[in-house]
Amino acid sequence: ALNASLAELARKVVHLPSLLLYRVATAASALLSFATLSPSYIRTHALGVYASEVPIGVVDGASEGVAMLLDGIVGLGGVISKPYRGALKHGPRGFAKGLVQGALCVLRPPIGVLDLLTKTVEGLIHSPFLGVRRHLRQQQPFALHANRLVAPFNAEESRAYELL
């Protein structure tokens, strides 16, 4: 009986603050990804954060998070490549547009840090010592439409978006 009550206390002490941290970090990461103004990055970021399976344990979550952090660091190369590609494709106008897009690539490493935090905490929340079993997500990612706006959740569109 004492072990059961200690386990329940650990669940409450660890789970609730971790859940709050997870929600805040996920929201901040999503907002920063929208600030990059890159539909392809927003799409791949959403699919990475909202993978179909939840990490179990801190190590599983941290390994997924490190991969997302490295993706953010590699994305920093857009600071140089975006203006260069823009200049090659569209001349001075493309260079100017590439400068803006490249400047927004500076947001990718902080997004990677938030994703590392998010995935690690998500793994902690779903760790076996808290008594949570591995499960698939209940809700798929939101669909991004052609006008780059996130529409209200629709299960059919979301399933189709997840398959892309």
Side-chain angles (χ1 to χ4, degrees):
L2 181 61
N3 284 341
S5 61
L6 285 175
E8 184 63 30
L9 178 65
R11 259 186 233 117
K12 288 180 181 176
V13 168
V14 172
H15 185 74
L16 293 177
S18 298
L19 191 59
L20 176 66
L21 182 61
Y22 168 75
R23 297 285 170 113
V24 170
T26 304
S29 174
L31 285 174
L32 281 177
S33 74
F34 281 118
T36 63
L37 303 176
S38 170
S40 62
Y41 179 72
I42 294 169
R43 187 178 317 110
T44 57
H45 178 259
L47 289 174
V49 171
Y50 302 109
S52 60
E53 287 193 2
V54 176
I56 299 297
V58 176
V59 174
D60 191 20
S63 66
E64 288 182 28
V66 166
M68 295 182 82
L69 173 64
L70 291 175
D71 184 47
I73 292 170
V74 168
L76 194 58
V79 171
I80 295 169
S81 67
K82 298 267 185 186
Y84 177 72
R85 286 186 197 157
L88 286 178
K89 228 177 189 182
H90 303 289
R93 233 184 200 175
F95 179 75
K97 183 178 177 182
L99 277 177
V100 172
Q101 290 175 340
L104 292 175
C105 285
V106 173
L107 294 173
R108 291 187 182 187
I111 293 170
V113 170
L114 287 170
D115 292 340
L116 171 63
L117 178 64
T118 297
K119 286 296 185 180
T120 304
V121 171
E122 186 178 20
L124 176 65
I125 290 170
H126 295 99
S127 63
F129 85 90
L130 292 179
V132 179
R133 287 179 279 131
R134 188 174 200 96
H135 65 279
L136 295 177
R137 293 193 183 277
Q138 298 298 317
Q139 178 176 329
Q140 290 82 18
F142 287 89
L144 291 176
H145 291 275
N147 59 4
R148 298 183 183 170
L149 295 177
V150 177
F153 181 75
N154 180 331
E156 289 178 17
E157 284 182 15
S158 184
R159 269 188 243 109
Y161 179 74
E162 187 177 34
L163 293 174
L164 296 176

